[in-house]
Short mmCIF file of all heavy atoms in Angstrom, two decimals:
data_model
loop_
_atom_site.label_atom_id
_atom_site.label_comp_id
_atom_site.label_asym_id
_atom_site.label_seq_id
_atom_site.Cartn_x
_atom_site.Cartn_y
_atom_site.Cartn_z
N LEU A 1194 -10.45 35.52 23.39
CA LEU A 1194 -10.16 35.49 24.82
C LEU A 1194 -11.22 36.26 25.62
O LEU A 1194 -11.60 35.87 26.72
CB LEU A 1194 -8.77 36.06 25.11
CG LEU A 1194 -7.59 35.24 24.59
CD1 LEU A 1194 -6.29 35.97 24.83
CD2 LEU A 1194 -7.54 33.85 25.22
N ARG A 1195 -11.69 37.37 25.04
CA ARG A 1195 -12.77 38.13 25.72
C ARG A 1195 -14.06 37.33 25.75
O ARG A 1195 -14.83 37.41 26.72
CB ARG A 1195 -12.97 39.47 25.01
CG ARG A 1195 -11.89 40.50 25.35
CD ARG A 1195 -12.22 41.88 24.82
NE ARG A 1195 -12.06 41.99 23.38
CZ ARG A 1195 -10.92 42.33 22.81
NH1 ARG A 1195 -9.84 42.57 23.54
NH2 ARG A 1195 -10.84 42.42 21.49
N GLN A 1196 -14.31 36.54 24.70
CA GLN A 1196 -15.49 35.66 24.69
C GLN A 1196 -15.37 34.61 25.82
O GLN A 1196 -16.36 34.29 26.48
CB GLN A 1196 -15.63 34.96 23.34
CG GLN A 1196 -16.06 35.88 22.22
CD GLN A 1196 -16.12 35.12 20.89
OE1 GLN A 1196 -15.20 34.39 20.52
NE2 GLN A 1196 -17.21 35.31 20.17
N VAL A 1197 -14.16 34.08 25.99
CA VAL A 1197 -13.94 33.10 27.05
C VAL A 1197 -14.23 33.74 28.41
O VAL A 1197 -14.88 33.14 29.28
CB VAL A 1197 -12.50 32.55 27.02
CG1 VAL A 1197 -12.21 31.67 28.23
CG2 VAL A 1197 -12.25 31.78 25.72
N ALA A 1198 -13.75 34.96 28.60
CA ALA A 1198 -13.98 35.66 29.86
C ALA A 1198 -15.48 35.87 30.10
O ALA A 1198 -15.97 35.71 31.22
CB ALA A 1198 -13.25 37.01 29.85
N HIS A 1199 -16.20 36.22 29.04
CA HIS A 1199 -17.65 36.42 29.16
C HIS A 1199 -18.33 35.11 29.56
O HIS A 1199 -19.24 35.10 30.41
CB HIS A 1199 -18.21 36.93 27.83
CG HIS A 1199 -19.70 36.95 27.78
ND1 HIS A 1199 -20.45 37.91 28.45
CD2 HIS A 1199 -20.60 36.12 27.17
CE1 HIS A 1199 -21.75 37.67 28.24
NE2 HIS A 1199 -21.87 36.59 27.48
N ILE A 1200 -17.92 34.01 28.95
CA ILE A 1200 -18.51 32.71 29.27
C ILE A 1200 -18.25 32.34 30.73
O ILE A 1200 -19.14 31.84 31.43
CB ILE A 1200 -17.94 31.63 28.33
CG1 ILE A 1200 -18.44 31.87 26.90
CG2 ILE A 1200 -18.32 30.23 28.80
CD1 ILE A 1200 -17.72 31.03 25.84
N MET A 1201 -17.05 32.63 31.22
CA MET A 1201 -16.73 32.32 32.61
C MET A 1201 -17.53 33.18 33.57
O MET A 1201 -18.03 32.70 34.59
CB MET A 1201 -15.22 32.51 32.84
CG MET A 1201 -14.38 31.45 32.13
SD MET A 1201 -12.60 31.60 32.47
CE MET A 1201 -12.56 31.32 34.25
N ARG A 1202 -17.69 34.47 33.26
CA ARG A 1202 -18.52 35.33 34.13
C ARG A 1202 -19.95 34.84 34.18
O ARG A 1202 -20.60 34.85 35.23
CB ARG A 1202 -18.50 36.77 33.60
CG ARG A 1202 -17.20 37.52 33.80
CD ARG A 1202 -17.40 39.00 33.53
NE ARG A 1202 -16.15 39.72 33.41
CZ ARG A 1202 -15.54 39.99 32.24
NH1 ARG A 1202 -16.11 39.61 31.11
NH2 ARG A 1202 -14.38 40.63 32.23
N ASP A 1203 -20.44 34.40 33.03
CA ASP A 1203 -21.83 33.93 32.94
C ASP A 1203 -22.03 32.63 33.72
O ASP A 1203 -23.08 32.40 34.32
CB ASP A 1203 -22.19 33.75 31.47
CG ASP A 1203 -23.67 33.52 31.27
OD1 ASP A 1203 -24.47 34.18 31.95
OD2 ASP A 1203 -24.05 32.68 30.41
N THR A 1204 -20.99 31.77 33.71
CA THR A 1204 -21.11 30.46 34.35
C THR A 1204 -20.77 30.51 35.84
O THR A 1204 -21.34 29.76 36.64
CB THR A 1204 -20.19 29.46 33.65
OG1 THR A 1204 -20.40 29.51 32.24
CG2 THR A 1204 -20.46 28.04 34.13
N PHE A 1205 -19.84 31.39 36.20
CA PHE A 1205 -19.41 31.52 37.61
C PHE A 1205 -19.66 32.96 38.07
O PHE A 1205 -18.69 33.71 38.35
CB PHE A 1205 -17.93 31.17 37.76
CG PHE A 1205 -17.52 29.86 37.17
CD1 PHE A 1205 -16.61 29.81 36.11
CD2 PHE A 1205 -18.04 28.66 37.63
CE1 PHE A 1205 -16.21 28.62 35.54
CE2 PHE A 1205 -17.66 27.45 37.08
CZ PHE A 1205 -16.74 27.42 36.02
N PRO A 1206 -20.89 33.39 38.18
CA PRO A 1206 -21.16 34.81 38.48
C PRO A 1206 -20.64 35.27 39.84
O PRO A 1206 -20.36 36.45 40.03
CB PRO A 1206 -22.69 34.90 38.40
CG PRO A 1206 -23.18 33.50 38.61
CD PRO A 1206 -22.14 32.60 38.02
N ASP A 1207 -20.51 34.35 40.81
CA ASP A 1207 -20.06 34.73 42.13
C ASP A 1207 -18.62 34.31 42.41
O ASP A 1207 -18.15 34.41 43.56
CB ASP A 1207 -20.98 34.07 43.20
CG ASP A 1207 -22.42 34.54 43.06
OD1 ASP A 1207 -22.62 35.73 42.73
OD2 ASP A 1207 -23.34 33.71 43.24
N GLY A 1208 -17.92 33.84 41.38
CA GLY A 1208 -16.56 33.36 41.58
C GLY A 1208 -15.52 34.47 41.43
O GLY A 1208 -15.81 35.57 40.94
N ILE A 1209 -14.31 34.16 41.89
CA ILE A 1209 -13.17 35.05 41.66
C ILE A 1209 -12.47 34.52 40.40
O ILE A 1209 -11.96 33.40 40.38
CB ILE A 1209 -12.20 35.01 42.85
CG1 ILE A 1209 -12.92 35.45 44.12
CG2 ILE A 1209 -10.99 35.92 42.59
CD1 ILE A 1209 -12.07 35.30 45.37
N LEU A 1210 -12.47 35.35 39.36
CA LEU A 1210 -12.01 34.91 38.03
C LEU A 1210 -10.80 35.71 37.62
O LEU A 1210 -10.70 36.91 37.87
CB LEU A 1210 -13.12 35.08 37.00
CG LEU A 1210 -14.51 34.54 37.39
CD1 LEU A 1210 -15.52 34.84 36.30
CD2 LEU A 1210 -14.44 33.04 37.65
N ALA A 1211 -9.87 35.03 36.93
CA ALA A 1211 -8.67 35.73 36.47
C ALA A 1211 -8.12 35.07 35.21
O ALA A 1211 -8.34 33.86 34.98
CB ALA A 1211 -7.59 35.71 37.57
#
Side-chain angles (χ1 to χ4, degrees):
L1194 293 175
R1195 284 190 285 272
Q1196 289 178 313
V1197 173
H1199 171 75
I1200 292 169
M1201 291 183 63
R1202 288 193 193 96
D1203 191 39
T1204 310
F1205 309 117
D1207 299 323
I1209 301 173
L1210 311 177

